[in-house]
């Protein structure tokens, strides 16, 4: 594909839906005029077809985008060939999406169109009205549906082709680029009380005391920004400045802060820090990309008694009560679970669910388990799965930082490989397809 036009073709690659937003409004009249021409089939693609109207619309779209981007186009014959290939591969992907049952409901389409409206500084209703007035509302929704389907097919089919080895993960984590990408970003705010070279020792001490007073006010519950604004407006005689530094990695923070911020907790405010400029108060407002992952985990087991075709709701409840009484009376939990539990995944293990991180259980089940002490047996309780009798056998705080870093590395490596694998996959489905062009 010509280097000047590669950006104009989005149908064969992972597509940015929002790129359609402005384009639809700018060129919809031209599209509407094209659709007035009688339609015809211009290509057979496996079980699908490509229509003249689709082809004409895509040509108009690329011409419009080229004008907006002031980009050079290839000769007409080459452009036409590229557009046809684009439509063929898009059609193949849509057929695959149909076969595997990829569907997007109206709510999903509405959310996407809401984002598109915001990109055009409109409300959803205003955007819809604009499209309807130009006669392209339904075609725009259909275009979005197709783009979503193509993206989902690409994500599913290409990701399964990508293999990330343990050695690749370790190499990435140990590389300079990997360490830089994995390093957390810090959002730091500051208050500065300047100390001038002409300030006497008494004035410098007074400014330090003033800074300490501001810290105490913040730690007593006052808002950091409010305290700064009030200090700037106060008649104390001391100049006060400061503001957010923006998101930065530790090595891009001021040297004075770089050794302090990584050890702070989110929301923490430092003691006054003296520099050649004066006294700094810094607050760690937020952290993103932090690989520290201390997770509360619960070890539990349960017996599930589910209503079914031969067991009514009341019979299930009574059997769960019997389970509770048998275990309370001294029978082994695992023995009763193996005999009666309807949970096929845990029955062999005697109802043992293993260690589960907070949020890893169904909410209604976790709500009950959260209030149990270790070794305490719950009375029968109902969830959407049926009646349960549960027991907590352990609690712990688990450091999952290594697992989190490895997952982040896996995601980064997968993203690197995705485009290459996408190109290879599209070449394969094109080579295997039956395509007949109709003049």
């Amino acid at each position: 594909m010509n280097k000047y036009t590669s950006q104009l073709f989005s149908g064969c690659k992972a597509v940015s839906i929002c790129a359609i937003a402005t384009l639809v409004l700018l060129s919809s009249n031209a599209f509407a005029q094209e659709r007035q021409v009688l339609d015809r089939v211009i290509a057979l693609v496996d079980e699908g077809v490509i229509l003249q109207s689709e082809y004409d619309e895509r040509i108009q779209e690329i011409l419009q985008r080229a004008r907006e981007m002031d980009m050079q186009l290839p000769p007409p014959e080459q452009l036409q060939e590229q557009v046809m290939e684009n439509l063929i591969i898009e059609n193949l992907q849509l057929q695959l999406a149909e076969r595997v049952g990829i569907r997007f409901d109206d709510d999903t389409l509405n959310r996407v169109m809401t984002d598109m409206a915001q990109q055009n500084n409109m409300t959803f209703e205003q955007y819809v009205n604009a499209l309807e007035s130009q006669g392209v509302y339904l075609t725009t929704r259909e275009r979005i549906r197709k783009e979503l389907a193509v993206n989902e097919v690409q994500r599913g089919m290409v990701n399964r082709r990508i293999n990330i080895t343990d050695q690749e993960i370790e190499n990435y984590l140990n590389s300079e680029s990997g360490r830089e990408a994995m390093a957390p970003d810090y959002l730091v705010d500051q208050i500065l009380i300047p100390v001038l070279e002409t300030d006497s020792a008494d004035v410098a001490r007074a400014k330090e005391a003033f800074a300490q007073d501001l810290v105490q006010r913040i730690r007593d519950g006052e808002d950091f920004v409010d305290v700064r604004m009030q200090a700037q407006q106060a008649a104390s005689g001391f100049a006060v400045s400061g503001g957010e530094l923006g998101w930065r990695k530790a090595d891009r923070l001021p040297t004075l802060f770089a050794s302090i911020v990584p050890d702070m907790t989110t929301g923490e405010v430092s003691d006054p820090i003296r520099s050649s400029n004066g006294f700094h108060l810094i607050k760690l407002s937020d952290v993103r990309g932090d690989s520290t992952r201390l997770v509360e985990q619960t070890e539990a087991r349960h017996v599930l008694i589910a209503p079914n075709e031969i067991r009514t709701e009341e019979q299930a409840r009574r059997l769960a009560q019997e389970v509770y009484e048998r275990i309370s009376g001294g029978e082994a939990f695992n023995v009763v679970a193996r005999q009666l539990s309807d949970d096929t995944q845990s029955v062999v293990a005697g109802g043992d669910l293993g260690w589960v991180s907070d949020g890893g259980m169904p909410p209604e089940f976790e709500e009950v388990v959260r209030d149990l002490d270790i070794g305490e047996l719950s009375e029968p309780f109902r969830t959407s799965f049926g009646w349960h009798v549960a027991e907590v056998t352990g609690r712990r705080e688990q450091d999952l930082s290594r697992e989190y870093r490895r997952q982040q590395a896996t995601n980064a490596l997968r993203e690197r490989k995705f485009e290459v694998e996408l190109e290879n996959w599209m070449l394969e489905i094109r080579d295997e397809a039956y395509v007949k062009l109709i003049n």
Side-chain angles (χ1 to χ4, degrees):
M1 187 176 290
N2 185 297
K3 66 179 181 179
Y4 298 111
T5 58
S6 60
Q7 297 180 50
L8 302 179
F9 291 83
S10 60
C12 290
K13 295 186 177 181
V15 179
S16 173
I17 297 295
C18 290
I20 303 170
T22 304
L23 183 63
V24 168
L25 289 177
L26 290 174
S27 52
S28 57
N29 286 334
F31 292 171
Q33 293 171 6
E34 290 293 325
R35 280 193 296 275
Q36 294 175 4
V37 179
L38 291 177
D39 223 343
R40 70 184 184 93
V41 173
I42 59 173
L44 303 177
V45 182
D46 278 352
E47 300 174 2
V49 298
I50 295 174
L51 301 176
Q52 183 72 52
S53 61
E54 294 178 87
Y55 175 83
D56 292 342
E57 183 172 311
R58 191 62 54 89
I59 288 285
Q60 290 294 332
E61 177 184 320
I62 291 170
L63 293 174
Q64 176 71 34
R65 194 177 302 177
R67 285 193 292 270
E68 292 171 8
M69 300 171 67
D70 193 25
M71 294 183 68
Q72 179 182 343
L73 288 172
E77 288 187 5
Q78 186 179 346
L79 175 63
Q80 292 164 9
E81 180 181 347
Q82 291 174 357
V83 168
M84 181 58 74
E85 281 300 307
N86 179 278
L87 288 170
I88 288 170
I89 296 176
E90 180 182 294
N91 193 284
L92 290 169
Q93 292 175 97
L94 290 171
Q95 289 183 50
L96 180 56
E98 184 70 23
R99 287 198 296 271
V100 299
I102 294 175
R103 300 281 191 280
F104 291 95
D105 58 22
D106 287 342
D107 288 341
T108 301
L109 297 181
N110 288 340
R111 285 195 295 271
V112 174
M113 293 190 72
T114 298
D115 292 338
M116 294 168 67
Q118 291 173 352
Q119 294 238 337
N120 283 276
N121 298 315
M122 298 180 180
T123 65
F124 175 78
E125 291 74 15
Q126 288 172 336
Y127 188 62
V128 169
N129 289 339
L131 295 175
E132 286 181 335
S133 68
Q134 296 169 20
V136 295
Y137 172 66
L138 293 179
T139 55
T140 300
R141 286 184 71 89
E142 179 63 13
R143 181 70 182 275
I144 295 169
R145 184 193 66 78
K146 288 182 178 181
E147 303 288 9
L148 291 173
V150 166
N151 287 342
E152 187 68 15
V153 165
Q154 291 178 356
R155 188 180 65 84
M157 299 303 294
V158 175
N159 278 335
R160 70 177 62 179
R161 296 164 59 99
I162 298 174
N163 180 44
I164 311 293
T165 67
D166 289 341
Q167 189 59 54
E168 286 179 297
I169 293 172
E170 292 301 325
N171 290 344
Y172 179 80
L173 290 173
N174 293 325
S175 69
E176 183 177 349
S177 61
R179 287 193 296 269
E180 181 178 347
M182 300 293 288
D185 295 297
Y186 301 98
L187 184 62
V188 176
D189 204 349
Q190 76 158 328
I191 298 173
L192 172 63
I193 298 93
V195 176
L196 308 178
E197 291 183 1
T198 55
D199 286 346
S200 67
D202 288 342
V203 171
R205 283 193 292 270
K207 289 184 175 181
E208 182 177 11
F210 180 63
Q212 289 282 8
D213 179 63
L214 296 183
V215 170
Q216 192 58 52
R217 288 172 57 188
I218 295 166
R219 290 176 178 172
D220 287 343
E222 292 189 55
D223 181 75
F224 189 91
V225 175
D226 289 345
V227 168
R228 180 173 59 223
M229 292 178 60
Q230 292 167 13
Q232 290 170 334
Q233 298 167 2
S236 63
F238 297 145
V240 176
S241 62
E244 273 193 355
L245 302 183
W247 286 102
R248 300 190 189 186
K249 295 188 183 296
D251 60 0
R252 299 192 63 186
L253 288 169
T255 305
L256 187 67
F257 302 164
S259 61
I260 298 172
V261 169
D263 295 327
M264 296 175 66
T265 58
T266 302
E268 183 179 353
V269 177
S270 70
D271 290 326
I273 305 168
R274 179 66 191 266
S275 76
S276 58
N277 296 326
F279 293 98
H280 304 260
L281 313 180
I282 58 174
K283 175 186 176 182
L284 179 56
S285 301
D286 201 359
V287 182
R288 66 184 182 192
D290 185 8
S291 62
T292 303
R293 288 292 183 275
L294 294 177
V295 178
E296 297 292 335
Q297 293 188 324
T298 299
E299 185 181 44
R301 54 186 180 179
H302 79 138
V303 178
L304 170 64
I305 306 298
N308 52 40
E309 294 81 359
I310 60 174
R311 182 192 294 151
T312 66
E313 177 73 22
E314 178 58 23
Q315 288 171 333
R317 187 196 65 77
R318 287 203 303 265
L319 182 54
Q321 183 65 34
E322 180 185 328
V323 167
Y324 172 75
E325 292 171 358
R326 285 174 60 179
I327 297 173
S328 298
E331 290 192 48
F333 193 108
N334 59 345
V335 172
V336 176
R338 290 192 185 101
Q339 291 175 352
L340 298 173
S341 182
D342 292 321
D343 182 0
T344 56
Q345 295 185 353
S346 69
V347 64
V348 175
D352 189 5
L353 299 172
W355 288 99
V356 182
S357 300
D358 282 0
M361 300 176 183
E364 50 199 347
F365 185 91
E366 189 168 275
E367 184 177 350
V368 174
V369 169
R370 186 185 300 119
D371 295 332
L372 296 176
D373 293 328
I374 295 176
E376 181 181 358
L377 187 70
S378 75
E379 294 191 5
F381 63 96
R382 186 70 160 87
T383 73
S384 58
F385 297 96
W387 289 89
H388 305 259
V389 175
E391 179 185 14
V392 172
T393 55
R395 297 192 190 278
R396 70 183 183 188
E397 186 177 67
Q398 186 75 355
D399 186 355
L400 300 182
S401 302
R402 173 175 167 78
E403 289 82 351
Y404 175 77
R405 287 195 297 272
R406 288 179 64 84
Q407 184 58 53
Q408 293 297 98
T410 300
N411 293 342
L413 290 168
R414 186 177 300 279
E415 188 174 328
R416 285 183 181 180
K417 294 184 176 185
F418 188 89
E419 284 300 317
V420 173
E421 285 299 324
L422 176 60
E423 293 287 351
N424 292 338
W425 175 70
M426 289 192 299
L427 287 173
E428 289 178 16
I429 64 172
R430 176 63 177 90
D431 289 342
E432 296 168 0
Y434 169 78
V435 177
K436 181 179 180 180
L437 302 182
I438 300 175
N439 295 327

